[in-house]
Amino acid sequence: MNTIVRRFIFLSVFFLLISCSAPGGNGNTEVLIKTTSGDIKIKLYENTPLHRDNFVKLVNMGFYDGISFHRVIRDFMIQAGDPETRTGLTKEQLDTLGKYTIPAEFRKEYFHKKGAIAAAREGNDVNPEMRSSGTQFYIVQGKKYSEAELKATEERINSNIKQVLFSKLLKETADSARKSGTPLQDAEIQERASMKMFDYLTTIGDFKFSQEQIEIYMNTGGTPRLDRTYTVFGEVIEGLDIVDRIAAVQTNQADKPINDVKIIKMKLVSK
């Protein structure tokens, strides 16, 4: 069987599995993550269905079983899901798993408090739509913030959102004009994109932390600078001490644990 055929079969089966619906019913899905450092139980939010369904399918496929926490930064987060850290995958499988993404699902009620589960992604320069990695996720450890620090963080988040949005509007305006057969000069593209940007800012307004978020970031902690730029799709409900334990391990210059920390098994659990 040649490489093209093998790749086609794998892609067909993989995306068929991903496209299947998650278990029905209301309420949040719960997952047990058994690690070499202890057990962590998480819940996946029903209001981020694309991320929930994708994660559930990967769990049911056994994708995360035996995978490593490949990036650990104390007072920030612990990250897993890189296909390169899982044994038994072919080059074709690694290529597919490493490249597929999911549309962002930003919701103001879900934020980067301690214990939040969020999707990793590539940077804004190559990923202006902020699409999530199909397999990589992180669990927030974070730290506590002062009110002044949170105010400065709000300003940075708004600046980041505006930069990304304006770049996206410039590209969309230029692409639309080119496809219509009437390409625009740079100045005209800038003007049209600026008008769209003005409409967005007057309609949506600036990002602001809610009072609940401020209190949690000040008293419990988290990583607020990632809000509205990375999709949060769940949270830890048991085992925050295990998150702290993993976050405290010794790492090398690439933030990889010196002694491997692995996910032994993930499975859906009954509530």
Side-chain angles (χ1 to χ4, degrees), residues 48 80 145:
T48 49
Y145 284 76

Side-chain angles (χ1 to χ4, degrees), residues 144-153 214 217-218:
K144 296 178 182 179
Y145 284 76
S146 69
E147 197 165 356
E149 287 174 321
L150 290 174
K151 184 65 177 177
T153 300
I214 291 171
Y217 282 138
M218 291 179 66

Side-chain angles (χ1 to χ4, degrees), residues 165-179:
L165 178 60
F166 192 60
S167 295
K168 181 180 177 182
L169 291 174
L170 286 172
K171 184 178 184 304
E172 288 177 350
T173 302
D175 289 347
S176 177
R178 187 174 60 255
K179 289 177 181 177

